[in-house]
Short mmCIF file of all heavy atoms in Angstrom, two decimals:
data_model
loop_
_atom_site.label_atom_id
_atom_site.label_comp_id
_atom_site.label_asym_id
_atom_site.label_seq_id
_atom_site.Cartn_x
_atom_site.Cartn_y
_atom_site.Cartn_z
N VAL K 108 -101.59 -166.65 -124.89
CA VAL K 108 -100.66 -166.83 -126.02
C VAL K 108 -100.81 -165.68 -127.01
O VAL K 108 -99.82 -165.19 -127.56
CB VAL K 108 -100.89 -168.21 -126.70
CG1 VAL K 108 -100.03 -168.34 -127.94
CG2 VAL K 108 -100.59 -169.34 -125.73
N ARG K 109 -102.05 -165.23 -127.23
CA ARG K 109 -102.27 -164.08 -128.13
C ARG K 109 -101.57 -162.83 -127.57
O ARG K 109 -101.01 -162.03 -128.31
CB ARG K 109 -103.76 -163.82 -128.31
CG ARG K 109 -104.44 -164.81 -129.20
CD ARG K 109 -105.89 -164.40 -129.52
NE ARG K 109 -106.58 -165.52 -130.09
CZ ARG K 109 -107.32 -166.40 -129.43
NH1 ARG K 109 -107.48 -166.28 -128.11
NH2 ARG K 109 -107.90 -167.41 -130.04
N ARG K 110 -101.64 -162.68 -126.27
CA ARG K 110 -100.95 -161.55 -125.64
C ARG K 110 -99.43 -161.67 -125.84
O ARG K 110 -98.74 -160.69 -126.09
CB ARG K 110 -101.29 -161.47 -124.16
CG ARG K 110 -100.58 -160.32 -123.47
CD ARG K 110 -100.92 -160.30 -121.99
NE ARG K 110 -99.97 -159.49 -121.30
CZ ARG K 110 -100.22 -158.26 -120.86
NH1 ARG K 110 -101.39 -157.73 -121.04
NH2 ARG K 110 -99.29 -157.58 -120.23
N ALA K 111 -98.91 -162.87 -125.71
CA ALA K 111 -97.47 -163.10 -125.94
C ALA K 111 -97.09 -162.77 -127.38
O ALA K 111 -96.02 -162.21 -127.64
CB ALA K 111 -97.11 -164.54 -125.61
N ILE K 112 -97.98 -163.07 -128.33
CA ILE K 112 -97.72 -162.72 -129.74
C ILE K 112 -97.68 -161.20 -129.90
O ILE K 112 -96.79 -160.66 -130.57
CB ILE K 112 -98.79 -163.35 -130.66
CG1 ILE K 112 -98.60 -164.86 -130.72
CG2 ILE K 112 -98.71 -162.75 -132.06
CD1 ILE K 112 -99.69 -165.59 -131.48
N ALA K 113 -98.62 -160.51 -129.28
CA ALA K 113 -98.64 -159.04 -129.36
C ALA K 113 -97.37 -158.45 -128.77
O ALA K 113 -96.79 -157.51 -129.33
CB ALA K 113 -99.88 -158.50 -128.67
N THR K 114 -96.92 -158.99 -127.65
CA THR K 114 -95.69 -158.52 -127.03
C THR K 114 -94.50 -158.78 -127.93
O THR K 114 -93.61 -157.93 -128.09
CB THR K 114 -95.48 -159.21 -125.66
OG1 THR K 114 -96.62 -158.94 -124.84
CG2 THR K 114 -94.23 -158.71 -124.98
N ALA K 115 -94.48 -159.96 -128.56
CA ALA K 115 -93.38 -160.30 -129.49
C ALA K 115 -93.39 -159.37 -130.71
O ALA K 115 -92.33 -158.96 -131.19
CB ALA K 115 -93.49 -161.75 -129.91
N GLN K 116 -94.57 -159.03 -131.20
CA GLN K 116 -94.67 -158.11 -132.34
C GLN K 116 -94.15 -156.72 -131.95
O GLN K 116 -93.47 -156.07 -132.74
CB GLN K 116 -96.12 -158.01 -132.83
CG GLN K 116 -96.58 -159.23 -133.58
CD GLN K 116 -98.06 -159.15 -133.93
OE1 GLN K 116 -98.86 -158.50 -133.23
NE2 GLN K 116 -98.44 -159.83 -135.00
N GLN K 117 -94.49 -156.30 -130.75
CA GLN K 117 -94.01 -155.00 -130.29
C GLN K 117 -92.49 -155.00 -130.15
O GLN K 117 -91.81 -154.05 -130.55
CB GLN K 117 -94.66 -154.64 -128.95
CG GLN K 117 -94.27 -153.29 -128.43
CD GLN K 117 -94.96 -152.96 -127.12
OE1 GLN K 117 -95.62 -153.81 -126.52
NE2 GLN K 117 -94.82 -151.73 -126.67
N ALA K 118 -91.94 -156.07 -129.61
CA ALA K 118 -90.48 -156.18 -129.47
C ALA K 118 -89.81 -156.22 -130.84
O ALA K 118 -88.74 -155.63 -131.04
CB ALA K 118 -90.13 -157.42 -128.66
N GLU K 119 -90.43 -156.89 -131.80
CA GLU K 119 -89.88 -156.96 -133.15
C GLU K 119 -89.88 -155.57 -133.81
O GLU K 119 -88.91 -155.16 -134.43
CB GLU K 119 -90.68 -157.94 -134.00
CG GLU K 119 -90.13 -158.11 -135.41
CD GLU K 119 -90.94 -159.07 -136.25
OE1 GLU K 119 -91.77 -159.82 -135.70
OE2 GLU K 119 -90.74 -159.07 -137.47
N ALA K 120 -90.98 -154.83 -133.63
CA ALA K 120 -91.05 -153.48 -134.20
C ALA K 120 -90.00 -152.57 -133.57
O ALA K 120 -89.34 -151.79 -134.27
CB ALA K 120 -92.45 -152.90 -134.00
N SER K 121 -89.81 -152.68 -132.26
CA SER K 121 -88.77 -151.88 -131.59
C SER K 121 -87.39 -152.25 -132.09
O SER K 121 -86.53 -151.39 -132.30
CB SER K 121 -88.84 -152.09 -130.08
OG SER K 121 -90.03 -151.60 -129.57
N SER K 122 -87.18 -153.54 -132.31
CA SER K 122 -85.88 -154.00 -132.80
C SER K 122 -85.63 -153.50 -134.22
O SER K 122 -84.51 -153.11 -134.57
CB SER K 122 -85.81 -155.53 -132.73
OG SER K 122 -84.52 -155.97 -133.07
N GLU K 123 -86.66 -153.52 -135.06
CA GLU K 123 -86.53 -152.99 -136.44
C GLU K 123 -86.20 -151.51 -136.40
O GLU K 123 -85.35 -151.03 -137.17
CB GLU K 123 -87.82 -153.22 -137.23
CG GLU K 123 -88.01 -154.64 -137.69
CD GLU K 123 -89.33 -154.85 -138.42
OE1 GLU K 123 -90.20 -153.93 -138.39
OE2 GLU K 123 -89.50 -155.92 -139.00
N GLN K 124 -86.85 -150.78 -135.52
CA GLN K 124 -86.58 -149.35 -135.39
C GLN K 124 -85.15 -149.10 -134.93
O GLN K 124 -84.46 -148.23 -135.46
CB GLN K 124 -87.57 -148.72 -134.42
CG GLN K 124 -87.43 -147.23 -134.30
CD GLN K 124 -88.45 -146.64 -133.34
OE1 GLN K 124 -89.10 -147.35 -132.58
NE2 GLN K 124 -88.60 -145.33 -133.39
N ALA K 125 -84.69 -149.88 -133.96
CA ALA K 125 -83.31 -149.73 -133.48
C ALA K 125 -82.31 -150.10 -134.58
O ALA K 125 -81.26 -149.46 -134.72
CB ALA K 125 -83.09 -150.61 -132.24
N LEU K 126 -82.63 -151.12 -135.39
CA LEU K 126 -81.76 -151.50 -136.50
C LEU K 126 -81.65 -150.37 -137.51
O LEU K 126 -80.55 -150.05 -137.99
CB LEU K 126 -82.27 -152.78 -137.17
CG LEU K 126 -81.44 -153.29 -138.34
CD1 LEU K 126 -80.06 -153.72 -137.86
CD2 LEU K 126 -82.15 -154.45 -139.03
N MET K 127 -82.75 -149.72 -137.81
CA MET K 127 -82.71 -148.58 -138.74
C MET K 127 -81.91 -147.43 -138.13
O MET K 127 -81.15 -146.76 -138.83
CB MET K 127 -84.13 -148.11 -139.07
CG MET K 127 -84.15 -146.94 -140.04
SD MET K 127 -83.36 -147.27 -141.63
CE MET K 127 -84.65 -148.13 -142.47
N GLY K 128 -82.03 -147.23 -136.83
CA GLY K 128 -81.23 -146.20 -136.16
C GLY K 128 -79.75 -146.47 -136.27
O GLY K 128 -78.95 -145.58 -136.54
N ARG K 129 -79.34 -147.74 -136.07
CA ARG K 129 -77.92 -148.09 -136.21
C ARG K 129 -77.46 -147.90 -137.65
O ARG K 129 -76.36 -147.46 -137.91
CB ARG K 129 -77.68 -149.55 -135.79
CG ARG K 129 -78.00 -149.94 -134.37
CD ARG K 129 -77.22 -149.22 -133.28
NE ARG K 129 -77.59 -147.85 -133.02
CZ ARG K 129 -78.66 -147.44 -132.35
NH1 ARG K 129 -79.50 -148.29 -131.85
NH2 ARG K 129 -78.88 -146.16 -132.15
N ALA K 130 -78.32 -148.24 -138.62
CA ALA K 130 -77.97 -148.06 -140.03
C ALA K 130 -77.80 -146.57 -140.36
O ALA K 130 -76.88 -146.18 -141.08
CB ALA K 130 -79.03 -148.69 -140.93
N LEU K 131 -78.68 -145.74 -139.80
CA LEU K 131 -78.56 -144.30 -140.03
C LEU K 131 -77.30 -143.73 -139.37
O LEU K 131 -76.67 -142.82 -139.90
CB LEU K 131 -79.82 -143.57 -139.55
CG LEU K 131 -81.06 -143.82 -140.39
CD1 LEU K 131 -82.29 -143.22 -139.72
CD2 LEU K 131 -80.90 -143.29 -141.80
N ASP K 132 -76.95 -144.26 -138.20
CA ASP K 132 -75.71 -143.84 -137.55
C ASP K 132 -74.51 -144.15 -138.45
O ASP K 132 -73.61 -143.32 -138.60
CB ASP K 132 -75.52 -144.57 -136.21
CG ASP K 132 -76.46 -144.07 -135.13
OD1 ASP K 132 -77.06 -142.99 -135.31
OD2 ASP K 132 -76.61 -144.79 -134.11
N LEU K 133 -74.50 -145.33 -139.04
CA LEU K 133 -73.41 -145.69 -139.95
C LEU K 133 -73.40 -144.78 -141.16
O LEU K 133 -72.34 -144.33 -141.61
CB LEU K 133 -73.57 -147.15 -140.40
CG LEU K 133 -72.62 -148.13 -139.76
CD1 LEU K 133 -73.01 -149.55 -140.07
CD2 LEU K 133 -71.20 -147.89 -140.18
N GLN K 134 -74.56 -144.51 -141.71
CA GLN K 134 -74.66 -143.63 -142.89
C GLN K 134 -74.11 -142.25 -142.55
O GLN K 134 -73.39 -141.65 -143.35
CB GLN K 134 -76.13 -143.54 -143.32
CG GLN K 134 -76.36 -142.89 -144.65
CD GLN K 134 -75.99 -143.78 -145.81
OE1 GLN K 134 -75.62 -144.93 -145.66
NE2 GLN K 134 -76.06 -143.24 -147.00
N ARG K 135 -74.41 -141.75 -141.36
CA ARG K 135 -73.89 -140.44 -140.93
C ARG K 135 -72.37 -140.48 -140.82
O ARG K 135 -71.68 -139.56 -141.24
CB ARG K 135 -74.52 -140.04 -139.60
CG ARG K 135 -74.01 -138.72 -139.04
CD ARG K 135 -74.53 -138.46 -137.64
NE ARG K 135 -74.28 -139.51 -136.71
CZ ARG K 135 -73.13 -139.69 -136.06
NH1 ARG K 135 -72.11 -138.89 -136.27
NH2 ARG K 135 -72.97 -140.68 -135.20
N LEU K 136 -71.84 -141.56 -140.23
CA LEU K 136 -70.39 -141.69 -140.09
C LEU K 136 -69.69 -141.80 -141.44
O LEU K 136 -68.55 -141.39 -141.59
CB LEU K 136 -70.04 -142.89 -139.21
CG LEU K 136 -70.31 -142.68 -137.73
CD1 LEU K 136 -70.23 -144.00 -136.98
CD2 LEU K 136 -69.34 -141.67 -137.14
N PHE K 137 -70.39 -142.38 -142.43
CA PHE K 137 -69.82 -142.46 -143.77
C PHE K 137 -69.77 -141.08 -144.42
O PHE K 137 -69.05 -140.88 -145.39
CB PHE K 137 -70.64 -143.39 -144.67
CG PHE K 137 -70.57 -144.85 -144.28
CD1 PHE K 137 -71.57 -145.72 -144.67
CD2 PHE K 137 -69.53 -145.35 -143.53
CE1 PHE K 137 -71.52 -147.05 -144.33
CE2 PHE K 137 -69.47 -146.69 -143.17
CZ PHE K 137 -70.47 -147.54 -143.58
N GLY K 138 -70.54 -140.14 -143.88
CA GLY K 138 -70.54 -138.78 -144.43
C GLY K 138 -71.35 -138.65 -145.70
O GLY K 138 -71.11 -137.79 -146.52
N VAL K 139 -72.34 -139.52 -145.86
CA VAL K 139 -73.15 -139.54 -147.07
C VAL K 139 -74.58 -139.19 -146.69
O VAL K 139 -75.08 -139.63 -145.65
CB VAL K 139 -73.10 -140.94 -147.72
CG1 VAL K 139 -73.93 -140.98 -148.99
CG2 VAL K 139 -71.67 -141.35 -148.00
N ALA K 140 -75.24 -138.43 -147.56
CA ALA K 140 -76.64 -138.11 -147.31
C ALA K 140 -77.47 -139.38 -147.43
O ALA K 140 -77.15 -140.28 -148.21
CB ALA K 140 -77.13 -137.06 -148.30
N VAL K 141 -78.54 -139.45 -146.65
CA VAL K 141 -79.40 -140.63 -146.69
C VAL K 141 -80.23 -140.57 -147.97
O VAL K 141 -80.97 -139.61 -148.18
CB VAL K 141 -80.32 -140.68 -145.44
CG1 VAL K 141 -81.25 -141.87 -145.50
CG2 VAL K 141 -79.48 -140.69 -144.18
N PRO K 142 -80.11 -141.58 -148.84
CA PRO K 142 -80.87 -141.56 -150.09
C PRO K 142 -82.35 -141.83 -149.84
O PRO K 142 -82.72 -142.44 -148.83
CB PRO K 142 -80.24 -142.70 -150.91
CG PRO K 142 -79.64 -143.62 -149.90
CD PRO K 142 -79.25 -142.75 -148.72
N GLY K 143 -83.18 -141.38 -150.77
CA GLY K 143 -84.61 -141.66 -150.67
C GLY K 143 -84.85 -143.16 -150.75
O GLY K 143 -84.18 -143.86 -151.50
N GLY K 144 -85.78 -143.66 -149.98
CA GLY K 144 -86.07 -145.08 -149.99
C GLY K 144 -85.04 -145.91 -149.28
O GLY K 144 -84.93 -147.11 -149.53
N PHE K 145 -84.26 -145.30 -148.40
CA PHE K 145 -83.22 -146.01 -147.66
C PHE K 145 -83.86 -147.07 -146.78
O PHE K 145 -84.73 -146.77 -145.98
CB PHE K 145 -82.41 -145.02 -146.82
CG PHE K 145 -81.28 -145.62 -146.04
CD1 PHE K 145 -80.17 -146.10 -146.68
CD2 PHE K 145 -81.35 -145.71 -144.66
CE1 PHE K 145 -79.11 -146.65 -145.96
CE2 PHE K 145 -80.31 -146.25 -143.93
CZ PHE K 145 -79.19 -146.72 -144.60
N VAL K 146 -83.45 -148.32 -146.92
CA VAL K 146 -84.04 -149.40 -146.14
C VAL K 146 -83.09 -149.90 -145.07
O VAL K 146 -83.40 -150.85 -144.36
CB VAL K 146 -84.48 -150.58 -147.05
CG1 VAL K 146 -85.63 -150.16 -147.94
CG2 VAL K 146 -83.32 -151.10 -147.86
N GLY K 147 -81.94 -149.29 -144.96
CA GLY K 147 -81.01 -149.66 -143.89
C GLY K 147 -79.99 -150.67 -144.34
O GLY K 147 -79.92 -151.06 -145.50
N TYR K 148 -79.21 -151.12 -143.38
CA TYR K 148 -78.18 -152.11 -143.61
C TYR K 148 -78.43 -153.30 -142.68
O TYR K 148 -79.08 -153.17 -141.66
CB TYR K 148 -76.79 -151.56 -143.27
CG TYR K 148 -76.36 -150.37 -144.07
CD1 TYR K 148 -76.12 -149.16 -143.44
CD2 TYR K 148 -76.20 -150.43 -145.44
CE1 TYR K 148 -75.72 -148.05 -144.16
CE2 TYR K 148 -75.80 -149.34 -146.16
CZ TYR K 148 -75.56 -148.14 -145.52
OH TYR K 148 -75.16 -147.05 -146.23
N LYS K 149 -77.85 -154.40 -143.06
CA LYS K 149 -77.80 -155.56 -142.17
C LYS K 149 -76.36 -156.03 -142.15
O LYS K 149 -75.71 -156.11 -143.19
CB LYS K 149 -78.73 -156.67 -142.64
CG LYS K 149 -80.18 -156.32 -142.46
CD LYS K 149 -81.06 -157.49 -142.73
CE LYS K 149 -82.50 -157.08 -142.49
NZ LYS K 149 -83.43 -158.12 -142.79
N ALA K 150 -75.87 -156.31 -140.98
CA ALA K 150 -74.49 -156.74 -140.85
C ALA K 150 -74.33 -158.17 -141.35
O ALA K 150 -75.17 -159.02 -141.08
CB ALA K 150 -74.05 -156.63 -139.40
N ALA K 151 -73.26 -158.40 -142.08
CA ALA K 151 -72.98 -159.74 -142.59
C ALA K 151 -72.29 -160.59 -141.52
O ALA K 151 -72.38 -161.81 -141.55
CB ALA K 151 -72.12 -159.66 -143.84
N ASP K 152 -71.61 -159.95 -140.60
CA ASP K 152 -70.90 -160.67 -139.55
C ASP K 152 -71.84 -161.01 -138.41
O ASP K 152 -72.79 -160.28 -138.13
CB ASP K 152 -69.74 -159.81 -139.01
CG ASP K 152 -68.71 -159.52 -140.07
OD1 ASP K 152 -68.26 -160.47 -140.71
OD2 ASP K 152 -68.37 -158.34 -140.26
N THR K 153 -71.56 -162.11 -137.77
CA THR K 153 -72.34 -162.47 -136.60
C THR K 153 -71.44 -162.41 -135.37
O THR K 153 -70.24 -162.65 -135.45
CB THR K 153 -72.92 -163.90 -136.73
OG1 THR K 153 -71.84 -164.81 -136.92
CG2 THR K 153 -73.88 -163.99 -137.89
#
Side-chain angles (χ1 to χ4, degrees):
V108 174
R109 285 189 194 94
R110 179 182 163 104
I112 289 174
T114 302
Q116 286 175 332
Q117 183 179 8
E119 183 181 346
S121 295
S122 186
E123 284 177 350
Q124 184 179 14
L126 180 65
M127 181 59 81
R129 299 298 74 77
L131 290 172
D132 288 344
L133 255 170
Q134 191 75 4
R135 178 187 53 82
L136 286 168
F137 292 158
V139 180
V141 178
F145 181 70
V146 293
Y148 300 117
K149 289 189 178 177
D152 297 309
T153 58

